[in-house]
């Protein structure tokens, strides 16, 4: 989700609650010139207690350094050296929660990627097929 400001993050949190999505893990990054403290407050709610993995954004001087942002988020947050590594770590957490899919059929536990649009750009550059709509 491109929730890159407090209003967008608040809307994301409400939408996740309405549709019953509790992310297994969250990958989050933001620009240092944003309202970082307010974004962090919202991402903690959206992450619903799961780990928040903060990747280093490649070649982006405006991005808040991953280690600094993870430190500000605090508990359940860890820095990752790249978006690829952050997604790998998040996928491991989601795979560990897979059995819950059978015991909690009303709750979805995907990996949530949110915050900076630059983060989404890196994700889609790595996996352009994610831009295709999912059909069920």
């Amino acid at each position: 989700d491109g929730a890159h400001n407090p209003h967008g993050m608040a809307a994301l949190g409400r939408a996740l609650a309405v549709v019953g999505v509790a992310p297994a893990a969250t990958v989050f990054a933001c620009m240092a010139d944003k309202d970082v403290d307010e974004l962090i407050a919202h991402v903690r709610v959206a992450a619903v207690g799961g780990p928040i993995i903060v990747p280093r954004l490649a070649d982006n001087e405006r991005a808040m350094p991953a280690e600094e942002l993870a430190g500000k988020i605090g508990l359940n947050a860890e820095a990752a050296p790249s978006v690829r590594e952050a997604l790998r770590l998040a996928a491991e957490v989601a795979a560990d929660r897979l059995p819950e899919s059978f015991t909690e059929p009303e709750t979805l536990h995907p990996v949530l990627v949110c915050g900076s649009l630059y983060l989404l750009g890196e994700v889609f550059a790595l996996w352009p097929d994610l831009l295709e709509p999912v059909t069920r």
Side-chain angles (χ1 to χ4, degrees), residues 10-117:
L12 172 61
R14 286 190 302 272
L16 292 173
V18 166
V19 297
V21 172
T26 300
V27 177
F28 172 76
C30 68
M31 300 294 105
D33 59 359
K34 297 287 183 171
D35 187 346
V36 175
D37 291 334
E38 192 167 350
L39 289 171
I40 288 171
H42 288 295
V43 79
R44 283 182 183 141
V45 172
V48 219
I52 301 171
I53 304 163
V54 182
R56 178 187 167 277
L57 296 182
D59 303 320
N60 192 315
E61 293 177 8
R62 285 183 52 218
M64 177 164 263
E67 294 79 12
E68 182 180 348
L69 183 55
K72 286 179 79 74
I73 294 169
L75 193 61
N76 287 342
E78 68 176 284
S82 67
V83 171
R84 181 183 297 276
E85 179 63 9
L87 292 171
R88 187 192 68 74
L89 292 168
E92 283 181 6
V93 172
D96 288 344
R97 290 195 67 181
L98 188 60
E100 292 178 21
S101 299
F102 301 105
T103 59
E104 298 177 27
E106 299 302 316
T107 304
L108 298 174
H109 300 294
V111 169
L112 172 63
V113 178
C114 64
S116 172
L117 297 174

